[in-house]
Amino acid sequence: MNHIAPAPGLQALYAEMAPRHLFPLWEVLSALVTPTPHSAARPARWRYAEARDFLLRAGGLISAEQAERRVLILENPALPGTSCITPSLYAGLQLILPGEVAPCHRHAQSALRFVMEGDGAHTAVDGEKALMRPFDLVLTPNWQWHDHGNGSGAPMIWLDGLDIPTVRFFEASFAERLDGPAHPETAPPGDTARRYGRNLRPFPGTAGARRPAAQPLFHYPHAEWDAALDAIAGTDAPDPHLGHALEFTNPADGGPVMPTISAHVRRLPAGFTTRPRRSTDGTVLVVVSGAGTARVGGEEMALEERDLLVVPSWHALEIEARTELTLFAYSDRAAQEKLGLFREARE
Ligand code: GTQ
């Protein structure tokens, strides 16, 4: 609204309209249609060591089966009570102790798992186990059956990244449990990678084409993405804003890993500082290895191995790598690009 004094009857008009659920746009327009994004979230960092202690304490008090999913939610400090890390995304740390299972279910929400600790537990997707090693990325795309189990001798902790708030926003949540804790085994571990992971796919319509055509892959091992990062770091100069960066793709269409979620890894050489970059996709980052400092919208946060960081929409991020720093990240960029909303600015 401009600054001319309002007519005296205006407040009385508002008061009469309000009980009829009618309100003047001109009082709120500038807050609704902002010239640049105003995130409701704020930057935050979680120390892995601290979160891990709480999670292991929970492990002594409730079983994975009892809890259905034994997870500590990473909630944005500016979004209390919402279970959101950004307005569109969810993050949690899930613990499975040796011998435990998390029962089989499926839901409209898309999920990724990024292994923080432990070796050899599994996520089964539609009955095929992905054996999870440190820093592997495993997808459970929407409406695919999944269960988790830990046949290894040590606790297993991974980061769950889901689009729970997005699905809630669209009011499109469906979920169901499968009778019994696990889906029958439909294929041996690694079967999907052998069929679909070599720039080939089983000929459409043949019995070998067992995975959904639009979303075949669900396991992106650390050994593979790490070797790919090494390869570009060995030949290319680091990008000034991102360092060496690789996006995980869905081989079916070359696009992001899931319809609502994009994921990538980046590596900064020791001593490298990125130029400030902002983007509309609020992003969750995990320190895979190394140490440094993140500056997010004027706030400075130290980063150590396995720490977690959230950078809200349109907050400038600069990262300084003290030692070689490798990060995993996910965001809602996949959804924003489909809606024509994604933007970034590089200083
Ligand atoms: O493993 O399916 O952290 O449904 C939150 C909701 C994990 C899961 C979470 C879920 C899951």
PDB file of all heavy atoms in Angstrom, residues 69 71 90 92 94 105 107 113 146 148 160 162 164, ligand 1:
ATOM      1  N   ARG A  69       9.959 -46.620  12.721  1.00  0.00           N
ATOM      2  CA  ARG A  69      11.228 -46.052  12.252  1.00  0.00           C
ATOM      3  C   ARG A  69      11.823 -45.316  13.450  1.00  0.00           C
ATOM      4  O   ARG A  69      11.190 -44.396  13.981  1.00  0.00           O
ATOM      5  CB  ARG A  69      11.014 -45.055  11.111  1.00  0.00           C
ATOM      6  CG  ARG A  69      10.480 -45.669   9.809  1.00  0.00           C
ATOM      7  CD  ARG A  69      11.490 -46.578   9.148  1.00  0.00           C
ATOM      8  NE  ARG A  69      11.072 -47.117   7.855  1.00  0.00           N
ATOM      9  CZ  ARG A  69      10.426 -48.272   7.668  1.00  0.00           C
ATOM     10  NH1 ARG A  69      10.057 -49.011   8.701  1.00  0.00           N
ATOM     11  NH2 ARG A  69      10.144 -48.684   6.441  1.00  0.00           N
ATOM     12  N   VAL A  71      13.971 -42.752  14.562  1.00  0.00           N
ATOM     13  CA  VAL A  71      14.581 -41.611  13.876  1.00  0.00           C
ATOM     14  C   VAL A  71      14.523 -40.372  14.772  1.00  0.00           C
ATOM     15  O   VAL A  71      13.498 -40.119  15.409  1.00  0.00           O
ATOM     16  CB  VAL A  71      13.814 -41.307  12.560  1.00  0.00           C
ATOM     17  CG1 VAL A  71      14.428 -40.127  11.833  1.00  0.00           C
ATOM     18  CG2 VAL A  71      13.777 -42.532  11.641  1.00  0.00           C
ATOM     19  N   TYR A  90      12.251 -32.707   4.742  1.00  0.00           N
ATOM     20  CA  TYR A  90      12.410 -33.359   6.045  1.00  0.00           C
ATOM     21  C   TYR A  90      13.794 -33.982   6.104  1.00  0.00           C
ATOM     22  O   TYR A  90      14.311 -34.448   5.072  1.00  0.00           O
ATOM     23  CB  TYR A  90      11.332 -34.438   6.161  1.00  0.00           C
ATOM     24  CG  TYR A  90      11.575 -35.489   7.205  1.00  0.00           C
ATOM     25  CD1 TYR A  90      10.951 -35.434   8.448  1.00  0.00           C
ATOM     26  CD2 TYR A  90      12.440 -36.559   6.942  1.00  0.00           C
ATOM     27  CE1 TYR A  90      11.176 -36.408   9.408  1.00  0.00           C
ATOM     28  CE2 TYR A  90      12.669 -37.536   7.901  1.00  0.00           C
ATOM     29  CZ  TYR A  90      12.033 -37.448   9.127  1.00  0.00           C
ATOM     30  OH  TYR A  90      12.269 -38.410  10.072  1.00  0.00           O
ATOM     31  N   GLY A  92      16.120 -36.627   8.930  1.00  0.00           N
ATOM     32  CA  GLY A  92      16.158 -37.348  10.200  1.00  0.00           C
ATOM     33  C   GLY A  92      17.356 -38.280  10.218  1.00  0.00           C
ATOM     34  O   GLY A  92      17.892 -38.635   9.165  1.00  0.00           O
ATOM     35  N   GLN A  94      18.396 -41.978  11.323  1.00  0.00           N
ATOM     36  CA  GLN A  94      17.773 -43.262  11.661  1.00  0.00           C
ATOM     37  C   GLN A  94      18.814 -44.245  12.168  1.00  0.00           C
ATOM     38  O   GLN A  94      19.903 -44.362  11.589  1.00  0.00           O
ATOM     39  CB  GLN A  94      17.062 -43.839  10.422  1.00  0.00           C
ATOM     40  CG  GLN A  94      16.405 -45.180  10.679  1.00  0.00           C
ATOM     41  CD  GLN A  94      15.269 -45.576   9.732  1.00  0.00           C
ATOM     42  OE1 GLN A  94      14.694 -46.645   9.905  1.00  0.00           O
ATOM     43  NE2 GLN A  94      14.928 -44.738   8.772  1.00  0.00           N
ATOM     44  N   HIS A 105       7.005 -51.007   4.529  1.00  0.00           N
ATOM     45  CA  HIS A 105       5.863 -50.145   4.190  1.00  0.00           C
ATOM     46  C   HIS A 105       6.148 -49.402   2.884  1.00  0.00           C
ATOM     47  O   HIS A 105       7.238 -49.490   2.326  1.00  0.00           O
ATOM     48  CB  HIS A 105       5.533 -49.181   5.351  1.00  0.00           C
ATOM     49  CG  HIS A 105       6.550 -48.121   5.639  1.00  0.00           C
ATOM     50  ND1 HIS A 105       6.525 -47.332   6.779  1.00  0.00           N
ATOM     51  CD2 HIS A 105       7.647 -47.689   4.947  1.00  0.00           C
ATOM     52  CE1 HIS A 105       7.517 -46.466   6.749  1.00  0.00           C
ATOM     53  NE2 HIS A 105       8.221 -46.665   5.673  1.00  0.00           N
ATOM     54  N   HIS A 107       4.877 -45.517   0.801  1.00  0.00           N
ATOM     55  CA  HIS A 107       4.144 -44.260   0.975  1.00  0.00           C
ATOM     56  C   HIS A 107       4.361 -43.348  -0.222  1.00  0.00           C
ATOM     57  O   HIS A 107       5.268 -43.561  -1.038  1.00  0.00           O
ATOM     58  CB  HIS A 107       4.555 -43.568   2.282  1.00  0.00           C
ATOM     59  CG  HIS A 107       6.009 -43.664   2.634  1.00  0.00           C
ATOM     60  ND1 HIS A 107       6.996 -43.074   1.887  1.00  0.00           N
ATOM     61  CD2 HIS A 107       6.635 -44.313   3.648  1.00  0.00           C
ATOM     62  CE1 HIS A 107       8.160 -43.331   2.440  1.00  0.00           C
ATOM     63  NE2 HIS A 107       7.993 -44.097   3.504  1.00  0.00           N
ATOM     64  N   ARG A 113      18.321 -42.166   1.519  1.00  0.00           N
ATOM     65  CA  ARG A 113      19.105 -42.535   2.718  1.00  0.00           C
ATOM     66  C   ARG A 113      20.554 -42.262   2.372  1.00  0.00           C
ATOM     67  O   ARG A 113      21.023 -42.670   1.305  1.00  0.00           O
ATOM     68  CB  ARG A 113      18.974 -44.023   3.057  1.00  0.00           C
ATOM     69  CG  ARG A 113      17.662 -44.649   2.682  1.00  0.00           C
ATOM     70  CD  ARG A 113      16.595 -44.289   3.649  1.00  0.00           C
ATOM     71  NE  ARG A 113      15.271 -44.642   3.132  1.00  0.00           N
ATOM     72  CZ  ARG A 113      14.158 -44.437   3.818  1.00  0.00           C
ATOM     73  NH1 ARG A 113      14.204 -43.880   5.014  1.00  0.00           N
ATOM     74  NH2 ARG A 113      13.002 -44.772   3.297  1.00  0.00           N
ATOM     75  N   HIS A 146       9.522 -50.730   1.051  1.00  0.00           N
ATOM     76  CA  HIS A 146      10.873 -50.738   1.606  1.00  0.00           C
ATOM     77  C   HIS A 146      10.863 -51.173   3.053  1.00  0.00           C
ATOM     78  O   HIS A 146       9.942 -50.874   3.813  1.00  0.00           O
ATOM     79  CB  HIS A 146      11.565 -49.386   1.446  1.00  0.00           C
ATOM     80  CG  HIS A 146      10.782 -48.219   1.979  1.00  0.00           C
ATOM     81  ND1 HIS A 146       9.704 -47.684   1.323  1.00  0.00           N
ATOM     82  CD2 HIS A 146      10.947 -47.483   3.097  1.00  0.00           C
ATOM     83  CE1 HIS A 146       9.231 -46.668   2.014  1.00  0.00           C
ATOM     84  NE2 HIS A 146       9.960 -46.524   3.114  1.00  0.00           N
ATOM     85  N   HIS A 148      14.033 -52.115   6.269  1.00  0.00           N
ATOM     86  CA  HIS A 148      15.453 -52.003   6.606  1.00  0.00           C
ATOM     87  C   HIS A 148      15.791 -53.102   7.603  1.00  0.00           C
ATOM     88  O   HIS A 148      14.959 -53.485   8.419  1.00  0.00           O
ATOM     89  CB  HIS A 148      15.764 -50.647   7.252  1.00  0.00           C
ATOM     90  CG  HIS A 148      15.196 -49.464   6.533  1.00  0.00           C
ATOM     91  ND1 HIS A 148      15.670 -49.049   5.322  1.00  0.00           N
ATOM     92  CD2 HIS A 148      14.203 -48.606   6.861  1.00  0.00           C
ATOM     93  CE1 HIS A 148      14.994 -47.971   4.933  1.00  0.00           C
ATOM     94  NE2 HIS A 148      14.085 -47.688   5.853  1.00  0.00           N
ATOM     95  N   ASP A 160      17.951 -39.774   6.740  1.00  0.00           N
ATOM     96  CA  ASP A 160      16.753 -39.894   5.916  1.00  0.00           C
ATOM     97  C   ASP A 160      16.424 -38.519   5.359  1.00  0.00           C
ATOM     98  O   ASP A 160      16.248 -37.568   6.130  1.00  0.00           O
ATOM     99  CB  ASP A 160      15.548 -40.322   6.773  1.00  0.00           C
ATOM    100  CG  ASP A 160      15.553 -41.794   7.134  1.00  0.00           C
ATOM    101  OD1 ASP A 160      16.089 -42.596   6.359  1.00  0.00           O
ATOM    102  OD2 ASP A 160      14.999 -42.129   8.202  1.00  0.00           O
ATOM    103  N   LEU A 162      13.515 -36.775   3.109  1.00  0.00           N
ATOM    104  CA  LEU A 162      12.202 -37.028   2.488  1.00  0.00           C
ATOM    105  C   LEU A 162      11.528 -35.712   2.109  1.00  0.00           C
ATOM    106  O   LEU A 162      11.862 -34.647   2.628  1.00  0.00           O
ATOM    107  CB  LEU A 162      11.278 -37.797   3.434  1.00  0.00           C
ATOM    108  CG  LEU A 162      11.578 -39.291   3.673  1.00  0.00           C
ATOM    109  CD1 LEU A 162      12.514 -39.464   4.843  1.00  0.00           C
ATOM    110  CD2 LEU A 162      10.313 -40.098   3.886  1.00  0.00           C
ATOM    111  N   ILE A 164       8.454 -35.067   2.892  1.00  0.00           N
ATOM    112  CA  ILE A 164       7.244 -35.094   3.740  1.00  0.00           C
ATOM    113  C   ILE A 164       6.483 -33.757   3.728  1.00  0.00           C
ATOM    114  O   ILE A 164       5.271 -33.743   3.491  1.00  0.00           O
ATOM    115  CB  ILE A 164       7.610 -35.525   5.189  1.00  0.00           C
ATOM    116  CG1 ILE A 164       7.974 -37.014   5.212  1.00  0.00           C
ATOM    117  CG2 ILE A 164       6.477 -35.214   6.165  1.00  0.00           C
ATOM    118  CD1 ILE A 164       8.512 -37.506   6.551  1.00  0.00           C
TER     119      ILE A 164
HETATM  120  O1  GTQ B   1      12.081 -45.098   6.432  1.00  0.00           O
HETATM  121  O2  GTQ B   1      10.165 -44.882   5.472  1.00  0.00           O
HETATM  122  O3  GTQ B   1      12.766 -40.738   8.702  1.00  0.00           O
HETATM  123  O4  GTQ B   1       8.511 -43.147   6.335  1.00  0.00           O
HETATM  124  C1  GTQ B   1      10.481 -40.722   8.153  1.00  0.00           C
HETATM  125  C2  GTQ B   1       9.404 -41.335   7.546  1.00  0.00           C
HETATM  126  C3  GTQ B   1      11.877 -42.548   7.518  1.00  0.00           C
HETATM  127  C4  GTQ B   1      11.032 -44.475   6.224  1.00  0.00           C
HETATM  128  C5  GTQ B   1      11.700 -41.336   8.120  1.00  0.00           C
HETATM  129  C6  GTQ B   1       9.564 -42.554   6.919  1.00  0.00           C
HETATM  130  C7  GTQ B   1      10.815 -43.169   6.904  1.00  0.00           C
END
